Each structure stands twice: as C-alpha cells, then as structure tokens.
Amino acid sequence: MVDPKRELELRQDVEALYFGYRTFTSLPDRILAERGLGRAHHRILYFVHREPGITVGDLIALLRITKQAIHRPLKELETLGLLTLAPDAHDRRIRRITASTEGARLEARLTGAQARLLESVFADFDAETEARWRAVMTRLAEESPPSDQA
C-alpha cells in the first residue's frame, strides 16, 4: 500500500518516468522502425556489443527473458547480418553472439542518440544530482519485479 500522503507525488514520479522513457526511446525507435525492428532488437544489440561473445544463455539471464522471447529477435538480427551466432570453441552446444560491423554501427547510432540525450540533460545538473539519479536507476534495476499480490 502506498502512503496516502505521498500518493500524488509518487504518481507524478511515475508519469515523469513514463514520459522520460518515451523521450529516451523515441529516436532509437524511429531508427529501428526504418529496419522493421523494435526495442528488443536494440537491447540485444546493446548487450552483445557491450560483451562480444556472450552466450545465448547468459544474454537470456541478463535480460531476464525466456528462450522463446529471445528467439525471434535474435534470429531476425542474424538474418539481417547484424550479429552472428557461432558455436563455442570448447562446447558446441553453447552458442556465442557477436555483433557484425553493421550491427555495431547500428548499436552505436542507437545508443549514441541516447547517450547524447543524457549528456544534454545532465549538463543542467551538478555531478551529485547525476550520481543520485544513477543510484536511483541502479536500485530500480536491482529490484525484483513486484508480484500481482498486494
């Protein structure tokens, strides 16, 4: 149960998060749409670019999604030549994912747009505010998804 004294303020925070995320994703969404791709594709490209050679299993665990949820976007990215899946050198049951040159360029364009937006917004605040924002986002990311039970 939310503290009734804070409910309005917290609802405004929820709205700020919704609208901030909409702005944060709008340019990458347009770039992705030009290729018939969506946010799931961006997330995969981002983490594969960050950790070249990541296994499919590790990517599934990192994104907290199912094999079924990752299958289609992963296959689409591979078909478009944006990433490659190859068997592990020591265990052929394990598949490793690497971004192609074109995939790395697309990821840089998508994430670069977001980094420039953050840089622009952070320019209006001091370093302490930026660090606190990071702490809040990190804490949110570490939270377990809430259950539907109250």
Side-chain angles (χ1 to χ4, degrees), residues 22 54 58 78 90 129:
R22 180 182 63 191
I54 190 171
D58 287 345
E78 183 181 31
H90 304 293
T129 301

Side-chain angles (χ1 to χ4, degrees), residues 51-82:
E51 191 176 333
I54 190 171
T55 67
V56 173
D58 287 345
L59 184 60
I60 287 169
L62 178 67
L63 296 176
R64 295 183 185 174
I65 59 175
T66 64
K67 288 179 186 178
Q68 293 80 8
I70 202 171
H71 178 75
R72 184 186 55 78
L74 200 56
K75 194 67 172 160
E76 290 168 343
L77 290 168
E78 183 181 31
T79 299
L80 291 170
L82 297 172

Side-chain angles (χ1 to χ4, degrees), residues 10-11 18 23 45 49 51 65 73 92 111-112 127 130:
L10 292 169
R11 285 184 169 274
Y18 282 145
T23 299
L45 282 171
H49 181 76
E51 191 176 333
I65 59 175
R92 298 190 58 78
T111 305
E130 185 175 334

